[in-house]
Amino acid sequence: MCGIMGYVGRGSARDVILNGLARQEYRGYDSAGAALRVGGEIKNIKIVGRVSELHRLVYADEGTAEAVSGIGHTRWATHGGVTVTNAHPHESADGSVVLVHNGIIENAREIRSRLEADGIKFRTETDTESPCQLLARIYAGNGGDARAAMSELCGSLSGIFSLVILFRDRPDEIWCARRGAPLVAAHTDEGGYCASDPTALLEYTHDMFFLEDGEFAEITPDGIKFFGFDGEERVKKSIFLHWDSAMAEKGHYEHFMRKEIDEQPNIVRLTIDAHTVLTSVDIEGDLNMPDGKPLASWIREIRRVQFVACGTSHYATLVARGLMESLDNALDVTADVASEYRYRSVPGGPDTLAVFVSQSGETADTLAAARGARGRGTRCIAVTNVRGSTLDREAGCALLTTAGPEVGVAATKTFTSQICLLNLLALQLLKSRGTLSVGDEARLIGGMRALPTKQQALLEREGEIRALAEKYSGSKGFFFIGRRESVPLTMEGALKLKEIAYLPSEAYAAGEMKHGPIAMLDEHLTVVALVPNDDLREKMLSSVAESRARGARIVIMATEGDAEVAAMCDDVLFVPETERELFALCGVIPLQLFAYHTARTLGRPIDMPRNLAKSVTVE
Ligand code: F6R
């Protein structure tokens, strides 16, 4: 949560900082600020609201055009209300240090009491002011040795942080530090940069230095020096990011989310191409394990597979879990949310394979869960969309989804790319165990190959889905119901509607409705029933009939050609037939579009829903 940015160099610090904040606004957007060094002065401009408003204010001050360095912040409040005073950057009482922070300083209160007892006046309610005041105190006390002061500061803080700092009397430097929250630095002929998210730097370079936990850096126009928290200099290698900055642009779309929904057919294609070996006649489906070790060498020892993730990524793992279970029920496969897995006494060890899935690769709970599993000797694989992210770097073995940067806060294209990749991983695991039949392998890989065309056909029916969204946007609430393969999709459909349209929406395994939720149904509620044409169709239709009898409005998502369902509901949405296990990869498109158009009808800020941030880097 929170996006931070720093720059020092020969270009326009004002442009770099404001562009960087705009690109990271999805990380937090209740307030924003920029501190720009102009001559001997540091102009600290802060607002409650969006980066566009900050942009207006900064550019209204003509002096800021001359800025040669600066730091900036877009905030998702944790400690202290959403006020201009609490917005970052923060300044020490003596004005020597200006600082921005992402994370939570756990010993902030203790530091504050100590410094207040010494007469230092605090101005804000934030945890961030404590490291700011403390750094100023250390720096003043050690004769202005910035490196030693950074080392002492970092060693004194508990909690998680990424920090970017300006020292008033060091005009050609910015400093940054990391423990637990993402931070990337880069250097070009134009100067030195740092940011929370590499997409903020892509327009300048693709060569990124990802700081590790326990590292800080001195950035100048001529280079970057890295240090451990012990103050010892470190040599770091850069990582080349293949993403292109245009991938993080909205193009002609009104919202990133809408653009990202449209990208899905291509991403499915790319994911399959990147991870399968094709022959002219059939598809082998061999996954290239990135560590180069053949899975077959250890997979037979595996007795259980644990998928671990949060939110939409968790729902993607539920789809993969279902696929594995349907093909090999001798294997114990679970899918947990990371925030629970990390605190439960889960089994582990070398007979367990845990797969940690995170779009951002920075979700605090998923990272902690992965560290715990590694500590138990569990074999771990990470699946992430962000090369260089903490999950990618910490995992011994990481698979990258090929979705490109996802900017809309609501996950869309990364959900489908995760499912594709997890399905391929699942098939490879089962093949190595000897439990995947040639027929099932060809059927499922072939089914995945056919998906992009089907997804494209669904995207072309947007008008129909928009009309439905407009019709039902006045509903008091929604129930998404389904069975077996559809259950993860009910969760994703309900989550999308909650997060971007702010409408109450519940996901239920249809058989559970009678055990309580059905009491809520009346004519103000809408039931969205997922009814693929499979062996459970009749049971789903019974649930639909029960809901209908209680007056609820019914929308059915059915398989194309199933004309009979139209008589049982108010509206029907047809999706092309797929392999049973792949239903989510088609069905999700209308649900994403439905949530999108509902939110749009209700005038919600689709790409930046209230109270949310794309990357949940605190627990
Ligand atoms: C929902 C959404 C979130 C994320 C969750 C996990 O649209 O985006 O539920 O899926 O916060 O994030 P990652 O995958 O980055 O770990």
Side-chain angles (χ1 to χ4, degrees):
M1 333 282 241
C2 302
I4 62 179
M5 185 77 201
Y7 173 71
V8 56
R10 290 169 266 276
S12 160
R14 176 173 86 166
D15 290 354
V16 174
I17 298 296
L18 271 294
N19 287 348
L21 292 184
R23 285 201 186 273
Q24 298 183 91
E25 194 171 17
Y26 69 86
R27 298 179 64 86
Y29 33 84
D30 52 44
S31 51
L36 298 166
R37 188 190 294 275
V38 184
E41 198 191 345
I42 294 179
K43 289 178 184 268
N44 192 358
I45 303 172
K46 312 200 274 189
I47 52 115
V48 167
R50 294 290 166 90
V51 171
S52 54
E53 177 56 14
L54 178 69
H55 190 279
R56 202 186 56 72
L57 270 186
V58 169
Y59 281 73
D61 179 340
E62 284 175 13
T64 57
E66 308 300 320
V68 289
S69 66
I71 61 178
H73 189 268
T74 173
R75 180 169 186 238
W76 190 89
T78 55
H79 290 52
V82 180
T83 63
V84 171
T85 310
N86 288 337
H88 303 215
H90 293 292
E91 270 184 70
S92 61
D94 66 1
S96 65
V97 169
V98 185
L99 172 152
V100 293
H101 165 225
N102 169 28
I104 293 178
I105 305 295
E106 284 167 3
N107 58 344
R109 257 187 307 190
E110 186 192 314
I111 295 171
R112 183 178 185 130
S113 319
R114 202 159 19 97
L115 295 176
E116 281 180 337
D118 288 349
I120 293 176
K121 294 253 174 307
F122 276 62
R123 283 181 284 234
T124 76
E125 298 156 343
T126 64
D127 55 329
T128 303
E129 194 176 350
S130 293
C132 181
Q133 302 282 17
L134 180 60
L135 181 59
R137 155 67 65 99
I138 298 170
Y139 187 63
N142 76 3
D145 181 340
R147 173 171 165 181
M150 288 295 294
S151 168
E152 189 175 336
L153 173 78
C154 294
S156 320
L157 300 178
S158 58
I160 60 172
F161 53 87
S162 55
L163 302 168
V164 190
I165 294 152
L166 289 176
F167 288 96
R168 188 170 291 273
D169 63 352
R170 294 178 167 267
D172 296 329
E173 299 165 13
I174 54 172
W175 292 74
C176 61
R178 170 193 164 132
R179 187 203 289 142
L183 186 62
V184 57
H187 193 268
T188 70
D189 291 345
E190 287 291 290
Y193 309 75
C194 62
S196 300
D197 186 327
T199 54
L201 307 185
L202 275 177
E203 60 188 284
Y204 313 111
T205 179
H206 291 252
D207 268 318
M208 310 273 175
F209 294 94
F210 290 86
L211 276 84
E212 302 292 340
D213 285 346
E215 287 183 341
F216 68 89
E218 175 194 0
I219 305 177
T220 68
D222 302 314
I224 311 179
K225 284 185 181 159
F226 297 95
F227 307 93
F229 280 1
D230 58 5
E232 289 302 309
E233 192 164 346
R234 290 186 177 178
V235 178
K236 278 184 83 66
K237 275 201 190 134
S238 63
I239 291 180
F240 187 84
L241 279 199
H242 288 277
W243 286 357
D244 133 19
S245 64
M247 289 163 104
E249 303 283 355
K250 225 179 331 190
H252 65 275
Y253 288 89
E254 190 181 343
H255 298 101
F256 277 107
M257 180 182 178
R258 185 64 198 79
K259 173 185 175 235
E260 288 159 0
I261 291 173
D262 262 2
E263 286 171 13
Q264 292 175 105
N266 200 32
I267 287 164
V268 169
R269 223 173 264 127
L270 281 175
T271 306
I272 299 170
D273 285 349
H275 294 282
T276 58
V277 177
L278 291 179
T279 69
S280 55
V281 279
D282 67 351
I283 294 158
E284 291 289 315
D286 287 321
L287 191 72
N288 305 315
M289 298 304 291
D291 64 357
K293 291 200 194 96
L295 272 174
S297 63
W298 50 268
I299 194 64
R300 282 178 189 281
E301 295 156 30
I302 295 296
R303 285 199 301 130
R304 61 179 80 84
V305 176
Q306 300 168 340
F307 288 106
V308 187
C310 299
T312 289
S313 299
H314 169 58
Y315 304 151
T317 68
L318 289 175
V319 176
R321 189 198 72 85
L323 176 99
M324 288 192 88
E325 183 185 80
S326 74
L327 297 173
D328 181 356
N329 63 9
L331 193 62
D332 174 18
V333 189
T334 56
D336 261 314
V337 288
S339 55
E340 288 297 312
Y341 178 93
R342 65 182 286 193
Y343 292 118
R344 289 205 348 255
S345 170
V346 291
D351 62 351
T352 305
L353 171 68
V355 183
F356 297 90
V357 183
S358 169
Q359 182 284 126
S360 61
E362 300 293 350
T363 299
D365 281 320
T366 310
L367 293 176
R371 288 170 192 144
R374 278 197 296 277
R376 288 188 289 276
T378 297
R379 293 179 192 269
C380 297
I381 296 182
V383 172
T384 178
N385 193 41
V386 183
R387 171 116 166 86
S389 62
T390 308
L391 191 66
D392 175 28
R393 284 176 294 115
E394 289 187 2
C397 172
L399 297 171
L400 289 169
T401 46
T402 41
E406 187 174 67
V407 180
V409 164
T412 51
K413 61 177 180 172
T414 54
F415 177 70
T416 42
S417 65
Q418 285 168 345
I419 296 177
C420 278
L421 183 48
L422 291 173
N423 280 354
L424 291 168
L425 174 64
L427 294 183
Q428 185 63 20
L429 292 174
L430 299 182
K431 194 171 168 184
S432 305
R433 268 170 63 80
T435 53
L436 179 67
S437 72
V438 174
D440 275 335
E441 182 184 5
R443 177 176 69 81
L444 289 164
I445 298 281
M448 283 204 269
R449 283 263 161 219
L451 280 168
T453 313
K454 297 179 183 180
Q455 291 179 323
Q456 194 57 48
L458 282 165
L459 288 167
E460 280 157 23
R461 300 219 322 256
E462 180 173 17
E464 190 189 318
I465 300 163
R466 181 172 48 226
L468 279 187
E470 285 164 4
K471 176 170 171 189
Y472 290 95
S473 61
S475 272
K476 210 171 68 184
F478 289 81
F479 274 95
F480 287 75
I481 61 172
R483 282 179 183 262
R484 206 174 49 205
E485 286 83 10
S486 307
V487 172
L489 199 50
T490 64
M491 296 174 176
E492 180 59 2
L495 180 66
K496 290 289 92 100
L497 210 49
K498 277 192 263 242
E499 63 182 336
I500 63 166
Y502 315 152
L503 289 176
S505 46
E506 293 283 341
Y508 265 93
E512 280 292 292
M513 286 297 280
K514 283 206 280 287
H515 299 286
I518 201 166
M520 293 177 68
L521 296 187
D522 63 20
E523 68 281 12
H524 304 295
L525 283 169
T526 301
V527 172
V528 180
L530 311 187
V531 191
N533 196 1
D534 61 18
D535 53 320
L536 297 176
R537 175 179 174 275
E538 291 309 318
K539 293 196 186 297
M540 273 308 299
L541 290 178
S542 300
S543 302
V544 165
E546 285 158 13
S547 300
R548 203 164 197 218
R550 271 77 191 175
R553 299 199 291 173
I554 311 283
V555 179
I556 290 183
M557 186 195 279
T559 307
E560 250 157 29
D562 190 355
E564 209 185 34
V565 295
M568 302 174 194
C569 58
D570 297 276
D571 284 288
V572 61
L573 249 171
F574 287 112
V575 294
E577 186 161 11
T578 56
E579 298 306 314
R580 176 162 79 70
E581 300 89 336
L582 305 179
F583 175 65
L585 286 162
C586 262
V588 74
I589 301 241
L591 296 186
Q592 292 166 343
L593 287 172
F594 184 73
Y596 173 82
H597 283 292
T598 306
R600 196 166 170 278
T601 306
L602 297 172
R604 309 293 195 222
I606 292 176
D607 282 332
M608 284 179 250
R610 69 186 180 201
N611 306 338
L612 293 178
K614 181 125 188 103
S615 187
V616 184
T617 53
V618 293
E619 189 174 355

